[in-house]
Each structure stands twice: as C-alpha cells, then as structure tokens.
Amino acid sequence: MSHMKTDVVVIGAGIVGAACAHELAQRGLRVLVLDDASGGATGAGMGHLVAMDDNAAELALSHFSIELWRGLSGVMPEGCAYRNCGTLWLAADSNEMDLARAKQATLAAHGVAGELVDSGVLAALEPMLRAGLGGALRIPGDGILYAPVTANWLLQRVPGIVLRRDKVVAVDGPSVTLANGGVLRAERVVVANGVAARTLLPELPLRPKKGHLLITDRYPGCVSHQLVELGYAASAHASDGTSVAFNVQPRPTGQLLIGSSRQFDTEDPRVEPPVLARMLRRAVGYLPALADLNGIRSWTGFRAASPDGLPLLGEHPARPGVWLAVGHEGLGVTTAPGSARLVAAQMFGERPPIDVEPYLPGRFLSTSPVVGVLS
C-alpha cells in the first residue's frame, strides 16, 4: 500500500464505487479504491441516464442524479461519450398512449419535463420505427454515457484517490482482508462492488439479474433518441423468470446498442441464444430495419437487484464502519452520483439533498450482530 494515510476504503471501481470515491475525495478525504479487475455491471451495461418512475423513490434518485450528471457533462472528456439524446417512450398503439399520458403526469409532478408526440411526429423523429405505433412520450433531459471511461475519469479527476488492483476477501468493520493475506484499515469502508458484495457480506439481500445486449456495426444517423417501449418498466421490475423488452440506444460511434433481457436464478455468464433471439425479435417488432443490420458482438452481465428495486445506501446497521452502496439493479449508471451524494451526506452528518429513508440498509438488515463478525 502507498504511504498515504487512508480515510476511506472503497471496494469496487465501477461507476458507483468511482462516484463514491469522487464525492468523498472532493470533501477532502483520502480514498483508497480496491478492485480486482474481474469486470462487473459497469462494463456490461448500456450506460443510459433515464428518469425511471416505477415508484417515487426511484424517480427522486434518478432525476436528482441526472441533474448531477448534467452538471458534470461540460467538463467530461469526449471519451465519456455523454450525449443528451433524450428518450422516446413508445406506445405500441393508441391504447398505450394512456400509459404515456400517465407517465408524463407522474414525471411532471417531480419536475421532469416530457412531451407527448403523436404517431406522425414520431415517424418524423425516428423514421426507422415501424408504422402504426400510437405515439410516444419524449423526455428531452435523458441521456447516455460510456460508463467504463466515465468511472475511470471520476477516479482521476480529483486528488486524494488511489486505485489499487487487489481482491478483497473479507470485511471486518473498517478493515479489509486481501487475497494475499494483507489487512488494510481505514476509518470507513464503502462496499460498492455490485453482485460481488454478497461474497463479502452474505446477509445482503441481493439477487443477480442476468441481462443480454447486442451491438451492431456502424450505421450513423439511423436512430437519434434512446428508444424504449412503455412496457419496459414491467420487465425491469419482474421478480421471477425471464423477460424481454425493447430498448435501443444510439452510440456516438454510429452503432446501435440493443436490449434488453432479464433473468433470475442463473449465474451462468454465457450468452443464451434462445433468450438473445427472443430479445432481438422484440426489437425488430419495433424497429424492422434492424433485421438488415450486422450485429458484431453480444454479451451478458449481472445486475444486483434488491427486493424492492432500490439501492442500499448508508451505514450497515450491524457492522459499524461499513457503508453500503449496492443493489442498483439496472440504474447504477443513472443513479451513481446521487447515490454517492447520499452516502457522503450521511457520513458527514448533513441533511441529505433528497429523502434518504427509502434507501437505508436498515429496511432489510437488522441491528443484531452478524455471525462471524469480530468485535
């Protein structure tokens, strides 16, 4: 370890861990980030910045975080690939426009602007979409970024952060044990390594949710907005089985990133052709021209899902000195800066910028000592 005294150890150098390290270092703390470079959801995900409204807490955190991302966008390097492309929530038919109107009202009540567009305007905005769609809800404030580069940028942007490639095998209060037997101590430890956090803290109520993605060759100008079917939220928050939903994202390279699928009860990282085929059939149903484009790579990743779909943000109630920033499911990229801000506010005894109660770990974890934890 370097001779720099460490105030906080952050486990995980993905987008959430990087955001936590960035936020804490900005406040003057000396942060050591430990990551075993095994890869996680940050490298496997879509990188969308979307105001999601499955419940009020999800919307509050995603909207707050998107505003924080927007504040950083002016100083991001081009490699972060931030684009304020907006999202079109697609109504499959005129009946689904009722869902679009309800979504618009919910978002507007929380300060998120949205515009209803009819089928004719939608066809002009995105000519590749199939004919006959009922219209859409356009959210101009949504965007995208490239999460792996953005995470690295956050870790390098402010002084006081050291990144070390090491595997953590145990957490005991504000100290961690490494695979090589070394022990590191700090005043606090932030666990922010997604699904892998279960191996360090088995009591965490996290389930891996597998997802498939496919990226095409370069076709500049084909799609301008992130395109999502209005049924996406139901798929995203399904609690069992396998589900797919249409989600296409235009990348600055001219490529199209196609999703998405969700599967519980498997930790097999291999691409499953039947699931991928089902996902692509769904996508072609909305964007028929996809059938003529070349897909160049497909892969999978695992989201860390909590029972209520919200992250765990705050100090572990039974492990003093251990702080949690896990369980973001498919919104880790969107909500990373807001999550970091809430964790830091609690650490420093500040009034949180939004109500932190819905995300506190105590809603799942008791204050009883965890078996095996040394006092």
Side-chain angles (χ1 to χ4, degrees):
M1 181 176 170
S2 74
H3 295 294
M4 181 190 84
K5 183 180 182 298
T6 299
D7 297 311
V8 181
V9 170
V10 174
I11 302 172
I15 196 70
V16 173
C20 288
H22 179 266
E23 183 70 31
L24 295 171
Q26 281 192 309
R27 293 164 178 261
L29 298 185
R30 293 157 293 190
V31 183
L32 174 65
V33 180
L34 299 174
D35 190 277
D36 64 3
S38 61
T42 294
M46 292 190 82
H48 53 209
L49 308 177
V50 180
M52 291 290 287
D53 63 332
D54 187 61
N55 55 63
E58 180 182 76
L59 179 51
L61 184 58
S62 58
H63 178 44
F64 173 59
S65 297
I66 289 170
E67 292 300 313
L68 294 177
W69 280 126
R70 187 173 293 114
L72 287 169
S73 64
V75 294
M76 283 184 183
E78 178 58 26
C80 292
Y82 175 88
R83 297 291 188 276
N84 180 208
C85 60
T87 298
L88 283 170
W89 289 92
L90 304 174
D93 51 38
S94 58
N95 291 330
E96 281 200 356
M97 283 302 290
D98 290 337
L99 297 178
R101 281 184 278 271
K103 189 178 189 71
Q104 181 191 36
T106 298
L107 293 173
H110 289 78
V112 180
E115 171 195 9
L116 291 169
V117 298
D118 63 23
S119 57
V121 173
L122 178 60
L125 289 172
E126 295 290 352
M128 285 182 61
L129 286 168
R130 72 168 171 85
L133 292 175
L137 173 63
R138 180 173 176 264
I139 307 299
D142 287 352
I144 60 171
L145 53 72
Y146 185 48
V149 170
T150 304
N152 289 336
W153 172 69
L154 289 171
L155 292 173
Q156 298 169 19
R157 182 171 180 255
V158 295
I161 300 175
V162 172
L163 172 62
R164 178 169 164 179
R165 296 299 184 185
D166 258 315
K167 182 177 179 63
V168 177
V169 296
V171 175
D172 178 20
S175 68
V176 300
T177 302
L178 305 178
N180 63 12
V183 177
L184 305 177
R185 293 178 176 84
E187 294 180 13
R188 303 174 185 89
V189 172
V190 178
V191 179
N193 58 336
V195 171
R198 299 175 305 157
T199 64
L200 302 175
L201 307 173
E203 69 275 14
L204 292 181
L206 301 178
R207 294 176 69 190
K209 191 182 282 191
K210 182 178 179 179
H212 287 70
L213 291 174
L214 180 142
I215 196 163
T216 71
D217 208 340
R218 297 170 189 257
Y219 301 98
C222 285
V223 173
S224 301
H225 299 78
Q226 181 162 234
L227 305 176
V228 190
E229 66 168 291
L230 275 164
Y232 176 87
S235 168
H237 295 285
S239 58
D240 287 292
T242 299
S243 61
V244 299
F246 171 63
N247 185 356
V248 163
Q249 184 183 101
R251 302 305 305 172
T253 57
Q255 296 169 286
L256 298 179
L257 187 55
I258 305 170
S260 62
S261 70
R262 281 170 165 78
Q263 294 169 265
F264 279 114
D265 304 321
T266 178
E267 296 188 49
D268 184 347
R270 291 176 295 184
V271 170
E272 299 176 51
V275 177
L276 182 63
R278 181 179 163 191
M279 183 187 83
L280 293 176
R281 283 195 299 270
R282 186 77 177 180
V284 169
Y286 281 85
L287 211 59
L290 286 178
D292 298 320
L293 305 186
N294 292 325
I296 60 173
R297 186 168 72 92
S298 61
W299 65 93
T300 69
F302 291 89
R303 314 166 182 94
S306 73
D308 62 5
L310 297 174
L312 283 69
L313 304 173
E315 190 169 19
H316 193 304
R319 296 179 183 259
V322 176
W323 291 73
L324 303 175
V326 295
H328 293 77
E329 216 269 82
L331 287 175
V333 177
T334 294
T335 61
S339 296
R341 188 69 59 89
L342 292 183
V343 168
Q346 292 177 74
M347 276 191 188
F348 281 79
E350 301 168 355
R351 181 178 179 178
I354 62 173
D355 181 14
V356 74
E357 191 71 26
Y359 323 105
L360 293 179
R363 69 190 194 276
F364 299 122
L365 304 173
S366 76
T367 57
S368 302
V370 179
V371 175
V373 176
L374 302 177
S375 58

